[in-house]
PDB file of all heavy atoms in Angstrom:
ATOM      1  N   ALA A  36     182.717  96.734  29.049  1.00 90.00           N
ATOM      2  CA  ALA A  36     183.202  95.445  29.480  1.00 90.00           C
ATOM      3  C   ALA A  36     182.499  94.329  28.807  1.00 90.00           C
ATOM      4  O   ALA A  36     183.128  93.315  28.424  1.00 90.00           O
ATOM      5  CB  ALA A  36     182.944  95.298  30.978  1.00 90.00           C
ATOM      6  N   SER A  37     181.208  94.521  28.438  1.00 88.00           N
ATOM      7  CA  SER A  37     180.563  93.447  27.706  1.00 88.00           C
ATOM      8  C   SER A  37     181.162  93.300  26.270  1.00 88.00           C
ATOM      9  O   SER A  37     181.258  92.220  25.682  1.00 88.00           O
ATOM     10  CB  SER A  37     179.041  93.834  27.555  1.00 88.00           C
ATOM     11  OG  SER A  37     178.440  93.883  28.885  1.00 88.00           O
ATOM     12  N   VAL A  38     181.485  94.494  25.632  1.00 87.00           N
ATOM     13  CA  VAL A  38     182.160  94.482  24.317  1.00 87.00           C
ATOM     14  C   VAL A  38     183.446  93.722  24.381  1.00 87.00           C
ATOM     15  O   VAL A  38     183.654  92.775  23.567  1.00 87.00           O
ATOM     16  CB  VAL A  38     182.335  95.903  23.810  1.00 87.00           C
ATOM     17  CG1 VAL A  38     183.162  95.848  22.533  1.00 87.00           C
ATOM     18  CG2 VAL A  38     180.981  96.589  23.566  1.00 87.00           C
ATOM     19  N   THR A  40     184.395  91.523  26.585  1.00 91.00           N
ATOM     20  CA  THR A  40     184.207  90.123  26.863  1.00 91.00           C
ATOM     21  C   THR A  40     183.887  89.398  25.531  1.00 91.00           C
ATOM     22  O   THR A  40     184.424  88.298  25.294  1.00 91.00           O
ATOM     23  CB  THR A  40     183.020  90.019  27.840  1.00 91.00           C
ATOM     24  OG1 THR A  40     183.413  90.617  29.062  1.00 91.00           O
ATOM     25  CG2 THR A  40     182.771  88.524  28.090  1.00 91.00           C
ATOM     26  N   GLY A  41     183.001  89.942  24.694  1.00 88.00           N
ATOM     27  CA  GLY A  41     182.710  89.327  23.461  1.00 88.00           C
ATOM     28  C   GLY A  41     183.885  89.293  22.530  1.00 88.00           C
ATOM     29  O   GLY A  41     184.096  88.153  21.843  1.00 88.00           O
ATOM     30  N   VAL A  42     184.748  90.318  22.527  1.00 88.00           N
ATOM     31  CA  VAL A  42     185.995  90.243  21.692  1.00 88.00           C
ATOM     32  C   VAL A  42     186.885  89.222  22.253  1.00 88.00           C
ATOM     33  O   VAL A  42     187.463  88.369  21.398  1.00 88.00           O
ATOM     34  CB  VAL A  42     186.616  91.661  21.770  1.00 88.00           C
ATOM     35  CG1 VAL A  42     187.990  91.580  21.098  1.00 88.00           C
ATOM     36  CG2 VAL A  42     185.821  92.681  20.988  1.00 88.00           C
ATOM     37  N   VAL A  44     186.160  86.385  23.836  1.00 90.00           N
ATOM     38  CA  VAL A  44     185.696  85.082  23.528  1.00 90.00           C
ATOM     39  C   VAL A  44     185.954  84.743  22.066  1.00 90.00           C
ATOM     40  O   VAL A  44     186.234  83.646  21.688  1.00 90.00           O
ATOM     41  CB  VAL A  44     184.234  84.940  23.910  1.00 90.00           C
ATOM     42  CG1 VAL A  44     183.601  83.617  23.373  1.00 90.00           C
ATOM     43  CG2 VAL A  44     183.961  85.145  25.411  1.00 90.00           C
ATOM     44  N   GLY A 112     169.921  93.996  26.603  1.00 79.00           N
ATOM     45  CA  GLY A 112     170.783  93.664  27.840  1.00 79.00           C
ATOM     46  C   GLY A 112     172.167  93.367  27.466  1.00 79.00           C
ATOM     47  O   GLY A 112     172.580  93.365  26.315  1.00 79.00           O
ATOM     48  N   LYS A 113     172.979  93.187  28.551  1.00 80.00           N
ATOM     49  CA  LYS A 113     174.403  93.087  28.360  1.00 80.00           C
ATOM     50  C   LYS A 113     174.775  91.824  27.499  1.00 80.00           C
ATOM     51  O   LYS A 113     175.769  91.715  26.773  1.00 80.00           O
ATOM     52  CB  LYS A 113     175.151  92.960  29.692  1.00 80.00           C
ATOM     53  CG  LYS A 113     175.124  94.321  30.431  1.00 80.00           C
ATOM     54  CD  LYS A 113     175.908  94.225  31.790  1.00 80.00           C
ATOM     55  CE  LYS A 113     175.904  95.624  32.408  1.00 80.00           C
ATOM     56  NZ  LYS A 113     176.649  95.538  33.745  1.00 80.00           N
ATOM     57  N   GLY A 114     173.961  90.718  27.735  1.00 84.00           N
ATOM     58  CA  GLY A 114     174.274  89.453  26.981  1.00 84.00           C
ATOM     59  C   GLY A 114     174.171  89.729  25.553  1.00 84.00           C
ATOM     60  O   GLY A 114     174.962  89.115  24.779  1.00 84.00           O
ATOM     61  N   ALA A 115     173.278  90.587  25.089  1.00 84.00           N
ATOM     62  CA  ALA A 115     173.105  90.785  23.658  1.00 84.00           C
ATOM     63  C   ALA A 115     174.387  91.626  23.128  1.00 84.00           C
ATOM     64  O   ALA A 115     174.878  91.407  21.973  1.00 84.00           O
ATOM     65  CB  ALA A 115     171.852  91.645  23.356  1.00 84.00           C
ATOM     66  N   ILE A 116     174.951  92.486  23.998  1.00 83.00           N
ATOM     67  CA  ILE A 116     176.076  93.272  23.579  1.00 83.00           C
ATOM     68  C   ILE A 116     177.323  92.300  23.385  1.00 83.00           C
ATOM     69  O   ILE A 116     178.094  92.364  22.452  1.00 83.00           O
ATOM     70  CB  ILE A 116     176.428  94.272  24.634  1.00 83.00           C
ATOM     71  CG1 ILE A 116     175.388  95.386  24.676  1.00 83.00           C
ATOM     72  CG2 ILE A 116     177.774  94.998  24.345  1.00 83.00           C
ATOM     73  CD1 ILE A 116     175.268  96.227  23.544  1.00 83.00           C
ATOM     74  N   VAL A 117     177.433  91.309  24.468  1.00 87.00           N
ATOM     75  CA  VAL A 117     178.502  90.296  24.291  1.00 87.00           C
ATOM     76  C   VAL A 117     178.336  89.523  23.045  1.00 87.00           C
ATOM     77  O   VAL A 117     179.287  89.327  22.264  1.00 87.00           O
ATOM     78  CB  VAL A 117     178.470  89.410  25.571  1.00 87.00           C
ATOM     79  CG1 VAL A 117     179.468  88.250  25.351  1.00 87.00           C
ATOM     80  CG2 VAL A 117     178.742  90.165  26.817  1.00 87.00           C
ATOM     81  N   THR A 118     177.137  89.122  22.805  1.00 87.00           N
ATOM     82  CA  THR A 118     176.894  88.281  21.594  1.00 87.00           C
ATOM     83  C   THR A 118     177.176  89.073  20.298  1.00 87.00           C
ATOM     84  O   THR A 118     177.769  88.506  19.374  1.00 87.00           O
ATOM     85  CB  THR A 118     175.448  87.747  21.526  1.00 87.00           C
ATOM     86  OG1 THR A 118     175.189  87.007  22.787  1.00 87.00           O
ATOM     87  CG2 THR A 118     175.134  86.911  20.369  1.00 87.00           C
ATOM     88  N   MET A 119     176.847  90.320  20.257  1.00 81.00           N
ATOM     89  CA  MET A 119     177.113  91.140  19.055  1.00 81.00           C
ATOM     90  C   MET A 119     178.528  91.295  18.806  1.00 81.00           C
ATOM     91  O   MET A 119     179.015  91.087  17.674  1.00 81.00           O
ATOM     92  CB  MET A 119     176.447  92.566  19.241  1.00 81.00           C
ATOM     93  CG  MET A 119     176.540  93.352  18.039  1.00 81.00           C
ATOM     94  SD  MET A 119     175.851  95.011  18.247  1.00 81.00           S
ATOM     95  CE  MET A 119     176.277  95.687  16.588  1.00 81.00           C
ATOM     96  N   ALA A 120     179.328  91.588  19.794  1.00 83.00           N
ATOM     97  CA  ALA A 120     180.756  91.758  19.683  1.00 83.00           C
ATOM     98  C   ALA A 120     181.424  90.351  19.265  1.00 83.00           C
ATOM     99  O   ALA A 120     182.280  90.319  18.431  1.00 83.00           O
ATOM    100  CB  ALA A 120     181.418  92.300  20.966  1.00 83.00           C
ATOM    101  N   LEU A 121     180.843  89.336  19.938  1.00 84.00           N
ATOM    102  CA  LEU A 121     181.362  87.970  19.597  1.00 84.00           C
ATOM    103  C   LEU A 121     181.199  87.618  18.229  1.00 84.00           C
ATOM    104  O   LEU A 121     182.087  87.116  17.486  1.00 84.00           O
ATOM    105  CB  LEU A 121     180.668  86.949  20.532  1.00 84.00           C
ATOM    106  CG  LEU A 121     180.922  85.437  20.253  1.00 84.00           C
ATOM    107  CD1 LEU A 121     182.427  85.158  20.343  1.00 84.00           C
ATOM    108  CD2 LEU A 121     180.156  84.599  21.159  1.00 84.00           C
ATOM    109  N   VAL A 122     180.003  87.838  17.745  1.00 82.00           N
ATOM    110  CA  VAL A 122     179.599  87.492  16.274  1.00 82.00           C
ATOM    111  C   VAL A 122     180.409  88.353  15.297  1.00 82.00           C
ATOM    112  O   VAL A 122     180.970  87.853  14.271  1.00 82.00           O
ATOM    113  CB  VAL A 122     178.100  87.609  16.092  1.00 82.00           C
ATOM    114  CG1 VAL A 122     177.809  87.400  14.614  1.00 82.00           C
ATOM    115  CG2 VAL A 122     177.370  86.560  16.953  1.00 82.00           C
TER     116      VAL A 122
END
Side-chain angles (χ1 to χ4, degrees):
S37 300
V38 172
T40 299
V42 171
V44 174
K113 291 184 178 180
I116 295 290
V117 173
T118 302
M119 183 181 179
L121 169 61
V122 172

